[in-house]
Amino acid sequence: MYRYVIIDDEALIRKAIVKQISSLGLPLAWVGEAEDGEEGLALVERERPDIMLTDMRMPVMDGVSFLQAVTDRRSEAQLIVVSGYSDFEYTREAITSSVAGYILKPFDNEELRQALAKAIDRIEQTKLSRKNAMEIELELDLVRFSAWLCRQSDEDVSPRPESYSSEPLRAFLSAGSFVVAVLLEPSVSEKKTGANESEDFKMLPDGCLRFPHPDIPGVTLLVCSDALTGRQAATAKINACLAEYSRRAETIAAVSGECNSVQGLPRAYRSALSLLEARPFGRMTGVHRMSSNSGSPGEPAENGVEWRWPHMEDFLYEMEEGNEAQAVRLAADLFSTCRLDESFTLQAVKRICRTLYHRIVEHLGSVHRISPDARLEMLPLLSHEIDAEAFERHFLQFVRDAVGQVPGRTAKAAGLSQQIKQYIDRHYAHQLTLEEVADRFFLHPVYLSVMFKEKMGETFQDYLRRIRIERAKHLLLTTKYRIDRISVMTGYENTKYFYKVFKKETGYTPTDYRQQQLGE
């Protein structure tokens, strides 16, 4: 309901206006009246109405002075002038004061309705503008705050409330206790029936902030505060939020212990992050919390001996021989073993895979003189990925890509055209030309072109373009890389040309393809 007051020196007119407004069916509530501008000003300061209806000729303080006083005090209430005089000076004053309406007595219901509807519309527009401005202000402040919260050390000075513009963040930083939760956002397929992603955390309690991690895609931070210290009030808030979130989606989250100062927030964040890394690798749901019995996560061991993979040599042999199916099967079996045994934490599996990574790079480098991680950049994923399923997908793709670079060494890769195809498969990210490949295989470019088309059923250039576009599709759907980066990773240094080729081959721009396939 919108609250309104009436300022007029005639009591009967005030009563008549209230009666007329009540008959219009508008969402309006009368909260007071005054018989002159001076009383009206006191009424406005006391009741803070949304709408003021005022006469212009009144004793003590007339409408002109009243409008000036209200304007000077920057009241946000909408003004409607109701006057029995069409005097030019009054009209000019009303226009100068940007009133919502100027109606002459006697007036009918429609004139009054139009003036009030205009006032209500102005109020809504003002609220919307203020809301948008506050949301933008909070979003910008959260960018700064999240960068501070997720930094690697405690050396930076803690933020002060007055250094931020948004009131919610200032109030948050002035609290007495804090707690942090780190959440993995579920994919669309993991949403529970009837869940609406836009409604998740739609109504956060006061003192709670939710924002995306500044560096890790798919990770959300939830930080709650409370004025009370040492009573777990902030923890109660965050537990309530997570309970609501779990009702809408399968939840993977970790909650820190409470701290009683802003300075402790980065350490609380890192403890929550470490909890996610210390969860069992096969644990796909659940909320993990700090406990007094929590130990330091480590690799599975027996009698103090570090765990070793018994199929390591078999795996490296299949990699060396270029047997993709067997190598991927062995790696997938390793992940299956880790999921079934809860002693394998995500952190432990990362350590195992880091060892595997270095063994693969070292082995293929010494045997085949190749660098199997020229494009996937597996090491950053080994360090930062905290989604177990995504981690497994990335590592298995690394195995496929590494095997794809192994040159044909046996009868399985017989045939010159097949060797050339494998060479393209390994080097498509480079600026390959028909002449360069022909020179590498000691062939004339024309002969290579004819032979390749005859054996492979498509030209050298068509095959190269298809491989690049297929790889680009894969990167668009499995990584958060920017389009210009994917362009370079698939052999197109000119991003505009990459856009042109991609759209010609698929019917979509790279951005549209990613959004259409992922449902973004």
Side-chain angles (χ1 to χ4, degrees):
M1 296 291 286
Y2 302 96
R3 306 163 77 248
Y4 75 92
V5 297
I6 300 173
I7 301 98
D8 194 295
D9 60 341
E10 297 185 45
L12 289 178
I13 291 179
R14 298 197 299 269
K15 184 176 180 180
I17 293 175
V18 172
K19 185 176 181 180
Q20 275 187 281
I21 291 177
S22 65
S23 70
L24 297 178
L26 295 172
L28 294 166
W30 173 83
V31 294
E33 58 186 57
E35 63 181 15
D36 60 57
E38 191 172 277
E39 281 189 14
L41 199 58
L43 175 64
V44 169
E45 291 180 346
R46 184 173 67 254
E47 296 294 339
R48 298 188 178 278
D50 300 303
I51 299 173
M52 296 178 285
L53 295 95
T54 181
D55 192 8
M56 292 301 285
R57 290 198 175 186
M58 298 179 293
V60 184
M61 178 188 287
D62 65 7
V64 173
S65 301
F66 176 73
L67 290 177
Q68 289 176 341
V70 168
T71 302
D72 290 344
R73 299 183 188 199
R74 298 183 178 179
S75 171
E76 294 183 354
Q78 294 297 313
L79 285 155
I80 297 176
V81 171
V82 182
S83 178
Y85 301 89
S86 56
D87 184 86
F88 174 75
E89 288 300 322
Y90 286 143
T91 303
R92 185 182 69 175
E93 188 65 38
I95 294 173
T96 302
S97 301
S98 299
V99 299
Y102 187 93
I103 54 181
L104 295 176
K105 303 173 188 176
F107 49 84
D108 58 29
N109 281 1
E110 187 56 32
E111 288 180 292
L112 184 59
R113 179 191 296 276
Q114 289 180 5
L116 289 168
K118 182 178 179 181
I120 290 173
D121 183 63
R122 282 188 172 189
I123 292 169
E124 288 302 312
Q125 290 298 323
T126 299
K127 287 182 178 179
L128 181 60
S129 298
R130 186 184 299 114
K131 180 184 177 184
N132 290 339
M134 290 174 64
E135 288 178 351
I136 293 172
E137 187 177 65
L138 177 58
E139 186 176 346
L140 293 174
D141 275 350
L142 283 178
V143 170
R144 291 175 51 210
F145 177 73
S146 63
W148 171 81
L149 175 66
C150 300
R151 69 196 196 280
Q152 296 300 313
S153 69
D154 296 323
E155 295 178 359
D156 294 345
V157 177
S158 300
R160 295 176 299 174
E162 58 270 23
S163 66
Y164 290 94
S165 303
S166 57
E167 180 57 35
L169 194 51
R170 290 203 299 268
F172 172 87
L173 294 172
S174 301
S177 61
F178 305 87
V179 64
V180 179
V182 180
L183 299 90
L184 292 181
E185 290 288 358
S187 64
V188 175
S189 62
E190 293 169 330
K191 288 283 183 180
K192 291 185 177 178
T193 303
N196 185 340
E197 187 172 8
S198 64
E199 293 180 0
D200 292 340
F201 291 114
K202 188 174 182 180
M203 297 299 293
L204 286 174
D206 290 339
C208 294
L209 302 172
R210 176 178 181 258
F211 46 91
H213 194 287
D215 301 314
I216 308 176
V219 174
T220 294
L221 299 177
L222 176 64
V223 191
C224 292
S225 68
D226 195 87
L228 298 175
T229 302
R231 299 187 184 183
Q232 299 296 302
T235 299
K237 284 185 182 180
I238 215 163
N239 288 341
C241 291
L242 291 174
E244 174 63 17
Y245 192 57
S246 298
R247 186 178 68 83
R248 299 179 181 277
E250 299 295 342
T251 304
I252 305 177
V255 182
S256 73
E258 278 199 7
C259 55
N260 57 12
S261 69
V262 175
Q263 290 88 340
L265 275 174
R267 187 175 289 110
Y269 153 73
R270 291 194 293 273
S271 70
L273 193 64
S274 68
L275 276 178
L276 280 183
E277 295 241 339
R279 77 184 192 275
F281 184 75
R283 190 80 58 81
M284 297 304 175
T285 60
V287 178
H288 307 271
R289 294 180 171 85
M290 298 293 294
S291 69
S292 57
N293 297 323
S294 297
S296 299
E299 293 186 359
E302 185 176 345
N303 299 325
V305 179
E306 182 179 329
W307 182 88
R308 295 181 182 278
W309 188 27
H311 299 295
M312 175 69 81
E313 297 307 318
D314 294 336
F315 173 74
L316 291 176
Y317 172 79
E318 301 296 353
M319 293 284 294
E320 177 185 339
E321 290 296 302
N323 297 327
E324 178 181 315
Q326 291 88 332
V328 171
R329 179 184 59 78
L330 286 169
D333 286 346
L334 170 61
F335 284 113
S336 295
T337 299
C338 294
R339 281 195 299 272
L340 294 173
D341 185 346
E342 290 209 346
S343 67
F344 287 90
T345 64
L346 174 61
Q347 183 182 46
V349 174
K350 281 187 174 185
R351 289 173 179 161
I352 292 170
C353 288
R354 189 175 290 110
T355 300
L356 269 179
Y357 168 86
H358 288 297
R359 289 293 302 274
I360 292 169
V361 172
E362 178 184 2
H363 191 73
L364 295 186
S366 62
V367 174
H368 296 307
R369 301 293 189 271
I370 63 175
S371 177
D373 195 26
R375 298 182 304 276
L376 192 61
E377 299 180 353
M378 193 64 206
L379 278 179
L381 292 172
L382 286 169
S383 300
H384 301 300
E385 183 63 73
I386 57 176
D387 183 336
E389 291 182 321
F391 179 84
E392 180 177 348
R393 287 196 303 271
H394 287 310
F395 194 85
L396 292 179
Q397 185 58 48
F398 162 69
V399 171
R400 294 187 186 96
D401 286 356
V403 173
Q405 295 182 60
V406 175
R409 293 168 56 87
T410 66
K412 292 182 296 181
L416 190 57
S417 59
Q418 188 66 21
Q419 292 181 39
I420 294 171
K421 173 182 173 295
Q422 290 178 350
Y423 182 83
I424 297 172
D425 291 347
R426 295 194 304 272
H427 298 90
Y428 66 85
H430 302 298
Q431 299 302 304
L432 286 182
T433 65
L434 180 67
E435 291 73 19
E436 175 189 343
V437 176
D439 182 66
R440 181 176 184 84
F441 287 90
F442 306 100
L443 299 172
H444 191 282
V446 175
Y447 175 79
L448 186 152
S449 178
V450 174
M451 179 202 67
F452 193 90
K453 175 69 180 296
E454 179 181 348
K455 298 295 184 182
M456 305 306 299
E458 58 186 326
T459 67
F460 173 92
Q461 292 296 342
D462 287 344
Y463 180 79
L464 176 60
R465 181 169 55 251
R466 180 167 64 83
I467 291 299
R468 285 173 168 172
I469 294 303
E470 289 301 317
R471 180 58 178 165
K473 287 180 181 179
H474 174 78
L475 292 172
L476 286 167
L477 299 182
T478 60
T479 73
K480 299 288 185 178
Y481 293 151
R482 290 161 51 101
I483 304 300
D484 55 353
R485 185 176 181 184
I486 292 176
S487 173
V488 173
M489 292 171 70
T490 53
Y492 294 97
E493 293 185 348
N494 187 317
T495 304
K496 289 184 178 179
Y497 182 68
F498 169 66
Y499 264 83
K500 181 178 179 180
V501 174
F502 191 93
K503 185 169 185 180
K504 182 178 179 182
E505 294 296 315
T506 67
Y508 298 94
T509 66
T511 302
D512 291 341
Y513 180 84
R514 173 179 271 169
Q515 293 174 343
Q516 193 262 352
Q517 293 294 318
L518 298 179
E520 297 179 348

